[in-house]
Amino acid sequence: MATHMKKHPGQLTVVIKLGTSSIVDERTHQPILFILSVIVETAVNLVQHGHHVVIVSSGAIGVGLRRMDLDKRPKHLPKVQALAAIGQCRLISLWDQLFGHLRQPIGQILLTRNDIADRTQYQNAQNTFFELLNMGVIPIVNENDTLAVTEIKFGDNDTLSAITAGMVQADYLFLMTDVDCLYDKNPRSNPDAKPIEIVEDIAELAADVSSAGSALGTGGMSTKIVAARLATSAGVTTVITKSSKPGNIAAIIKHAEAEKRARGSSRNSVVNFHEDHLSLEKTAVLNLHASHSPLTPSTSTPQYTPARTPSPEIDTNEPPPLHTRFLPIAHPIRDRWFWILHGLAPHGTVFIDHGAWHALSDKAGLLPAGIVDVEGHFAQQEAVRLVVVKKLTSTTTPTSHTPNTYTSGISTPPTPIRHPQPDAHPGMRHTHSHTSSPSPATPVSYELHHPAPFEIGRAVVNYSAAEIRRIKGLHSTQISEALGYADSEYVALRENVAFFGMEKSRPSTPSFGKTSSEHGDSH
């Protein structure tokens, strides 16, 4: 039975993500108690004011290194997983002790991608989150590094935090990092660098994301941008701010909520932006890996880039703490569609024509007649990428014979994940197991460059890759003749197709009182 999270008007759900470098000293591997204590105080204060809080906490391996007196993270996977098992016990014990001083109960949730790949398990995890939050408990979430291998890892806890935020339908996701915010230029080498407070459209953010994260962690600034894309597509306002100042979280929320009220925002409202400062919205230099020296005095208290029209009701003489806020899209992707897009690992690609895309947009299912090509190996009931291409006619030829590659033409690109091989699926047909993908030398049946193929979303298919290759371009009445059977007239039912968000993410935080059906059916 589904559990629903109880939310009252004005009640917020806040997810706070802390990386290993925010929790554990990179050199000594000792827990940074000051940051942890302030995070605890901030989280408890939010709960006491009636809000829900989830913490996504890295640091198990770092704490394990300290416990075993090791200098650096080993390269051998079993040793890393053993350290994670040792460190996770110490880490959750530390959180419990700190929260215990304030009589705040916590719960531990450890996840891998396999745990949410099954729809029932995803819903069970979601129900657990909701029940914990309804009980006033703060869930402490981490990836289950003891069990996770490359194929089933989220990759980093930035991605895990974004998926968690979407799962609990959060209002805010705070990605705590070692910089205050995004800048239009590198502030360490450019004293005149200006901070960027608002990012309205991540697709237009041309950022240098070469910062690779700490020696203990796995994330970097690029993973935070990916996480922001994912979270904003689920309707979550995403904030990047400095982990050494966790007390700023409450001030940022207060400012954002006051700004929302002053503007009379709702889920579908649009705010005004200065067009003459567009370059500052599009270019954010995050290349801070070369130096960890303090910012120069001229950048310690910089002036905000006027990225949006100031509201007369907001006291602009008292700016909020430095941060960058990514605004959510107008029509969030929720529930089943969010799970299809981000809970499942795609095992291949189905190339469709524009007619099939328009039919899907009109709520129709995916018929074989609209399929142009197939790539990869997958079984029935597995997820695939949907890529729109221009089908070649008999009088046209491809502009080149390059491999069947494509680029994403969407504002919310897919989450970068590695895909496991579909070797063990009881009850599924495996006629695809010995069928190879088209080789680069094989002439393709669609235009490669004018226009280029672009990905629109994901689908859970009713047929395997080999079966779809045999029925592509056929009418549904011909499926039985081609295969000897016909499980469905559709390659994918419309309820099993989800599109990435196609709109600019301009509106403010979603209003309360909306049901999932009100903002999910469009996907």
Side-chain angles (χ1 to χ4, degrees):
M1 185 174 69
T3 300
H4 299 285
M5 186 162 58
K6 301 172 184 176
K7 292 191 73 171
H8 308 290
Q11 188 176 36
L12 302 173
T13 299
V14 180
V15 177
I16 303 170
K17 184 267 174 182
L18 292 163
T20 300
S21 61
S22 301
I23 294 175
V24 178
D25 184 274
E26 191 171 349
R27 185 176 60 86
T28 66
H29 305 152
Q30 290 183 342
I32 307 175
L33 294 178
F34 166 73
I35 293 179
L36 294 175
S37 298
V38 179
I39 283 289
V40 167
E41 185 178 358
T42 300
V44 171
N45 186 53
L46 287 169
V47 171
Q48 289 176 344
H49 281 80
H51 305 300
H52 294 141
V53 177
V54 177
I55 293 177
V56 178
S57 170
S58 304
I61 295 172
V63 173
L65 288 170
R66 171 68 178 176
R67 181 68 180 86
M68 300 306 295
D69 292 323
L70 297 176
D71 293 330
K72 60 182 180 180
R73 179 184 177 125
K75 296 181 179 179
H76 192 44
L77 179 61
K79 289 185 178 180
V80 173
Q81 293 177 317
L83 284 174
I86 296 166
Q88 185 62 35
C89 293
R90 306 279 289 191
L91 181 63
I92 198 66
S93 176
L94 179 59
W95 280 119
D96 192 42
Q97 289 177 25
L98 292 172
F99 276 107
H101 290 304
L102 299 178
R103 300 180 62 84
Q104 171 61 51
I106 65 170
Q108 177 178 248
I109 296 181
L110 300 177
L111 295 172
T112 66
R113 188 171 286 279
N114 264 10
D115 294 327
I116 62 173
D118 177 78
R119 177 62 179 165
T120 300
Q121 289 181 226
Y122 177 91
Q123 291 175 317
N124 287 341
Q126 189 177 48
N127 290 340
T128 300
F129 273 115
F130 289 166
E131 195 60 49
L132 287 171
L133 294 173
N134 289 339
M135 295 168 65
V137 175
I138 295 179
I140 309 291
V141 185
N142 197 3
E143 183 160 17
N144 194 345
D145 290 316
T146 301
L147 299 178
V149 293
T150 300
E151 290 80 10
I152 62 173
K153 285 179 70 66
F154 290 99
D156 57 84
N157 273 6
D158 293 320
T159 301
L160 173 60
S161 69
I163 291 177
T164 299
M167 188 183 296
V168 301
Q169 300 174 9
D171 300 282
Y172 289 93
L173 167 62
F174 282 84
L175 300 173
M176 311 301 287
T177 183
D178 58 355
V179 296
D180 291 293
C181 60
L182 308 189
Y183 288 86
D184 64 326
K185 292 178 286 189
N186 189 334
R188 303 197 186 281
S189 56
N190 297 276
D192 60 339
K194 296 181 176 65
I196 297 175
E197 182 187 14
I198 297 292
V199 175
E200 57 160 325
D201 183 13
I202 299 177
E204 295 184 0
L205 183 69
D208 176 357
V209 291
S210 54
S211 177
S214 70
L216 295 178
T218 58
M221 195 57 73
S222 62
T223 64
K224 289 171 177 57
I225 301 299
V226 171
R229 281 197 187 100
L230 197 161
T232 54
S233 73
V236 182
T237 299
T238 305
V239 177
I240 290 177
T241 192
K242 197 156 189 171
S243 59
S244 62
K245 303 175 182 177
N248 289 342
I249 291 174
I252 293 170
I253 293 175
K254 182 178 179 180
H255 175 82
E257 289 296 299
E259 200 173 64
K260 181 178 68 174
R261 288 192 298 269
R263 295 176 184 279
S265 300
S266 66
R267 179 180 300 278
N268 296 320
S269 66
V270 178
V271 300
N272 296 320
F273 293 83
H274 280 309
E275 295 300 327
D276 53 345
H277 293 283
L278 191 60
S279 61
L280 296 181
E281 299 169 15
K282 289 185 177 180
T283 305
V285 177
L286 307 173
N287 186 9
L288 304 179
H289 68 291
S291 171
H292 292 283
S293 61
L295 298 180
T296 60
S298 61
T299 60
S300 60
T301 56
Q303 298 297 314
Y304 277 111
T305 298
R308 61 194 299 176
T309 305
S311 172
E313 292 80 8
I314 297 174
D315 186 2
T316 56
N317 293 323
E318 297 183 7
L322 276 175
H323 70 284
T324 295
R325 198 176 342 141
F326 297 84
L327 301 181
I329 65 172
H331 302 288
I333 303 167
R334 293 282 175 88
D335 300 327
R336 182 176 180 83
W337 297 277
F338 183 84
W339 170 72
I340 291 174
L341 288 175
H342 304 297
L344 299 177
H347 292 263
T349 304
V350 172
F351 298 88
I352 64 175
D353 60 27
H354 284 74
W357 181 25
H358 292 311
L360 289 171
S361 300
D362 289 335
K363 310 297 185 185
L366 178 59
L367 296 169
I371 295 177
V372 178
D373 207 348
V374 183
E375 188 175 78
H377 309 288
F378 52 86
Q380 63 171 156
Q381 299 305 312
E382 288 189 329
V384 299
R385 304 173 190 87
L386 289 181
V387 175
V388 176
V389 295
K390 181 181 178 181
K391 189 175 182 179
L392 294 175
T393 64
S394 57
T395 58
T396 59
T397 57
T399 55
S400 71
H401 291 282
T402 55
N404 294 12
T405 58
Y406 59 90
T407 57
S408 175
I410 54 178
S411 60
T412 307
T415 306
I417 52 178
R418 294 183 173 91
H419 318 306
Q421 292 299 319
D423 292 330
H425 293 270
M428 292 185 178
R429 295 185 301 271
H430 289 276
T431 55
H432 64 284
S433 58
H434 299 290
T435 306
S436 60
S437 301
S439 65
T442 303
V444 296
S445 55
Y446 53 87
E447 180 58 64
L448 290 168
H449 300 292
H450 305 290
F454 60 96
E455 185 177 0
I456 59 167
R458 303 279 166 81
V460 177
V461 291
N462 294 325
Y463 295 96
S464 70
E467 291 167 333
I468 296 175
R469 288 190 182 97
R470 294 168 62 184
I471 64 176
K472 65 180 182 181
L474 301 180
H475 291 289
S476 296
T477 55
Q478 298 174 291
I479 294 177
S480 181
E481 181 181 349
L483 298 179
Y485 49 84
D487 289 347
S488 172
E489 63 179 312
Y490 295 105
V491 172
L493 300 174
R494 184 59 184 86
E495 66 187 46
N496 290 332
V497 175
F499 291 148
F500 292 109
M502 305 295 286
E503 302 174 64
K504 285 190 174 184
S505 50
R506 289 192 172 189
S508 62
T509 302
S511 58
F512 297 104
K514 299 284 187 181
T515 63
S516 60
S517 61
E518 289 180 89
H519 47 245
D521 289 344
S522 61
H523 300 280

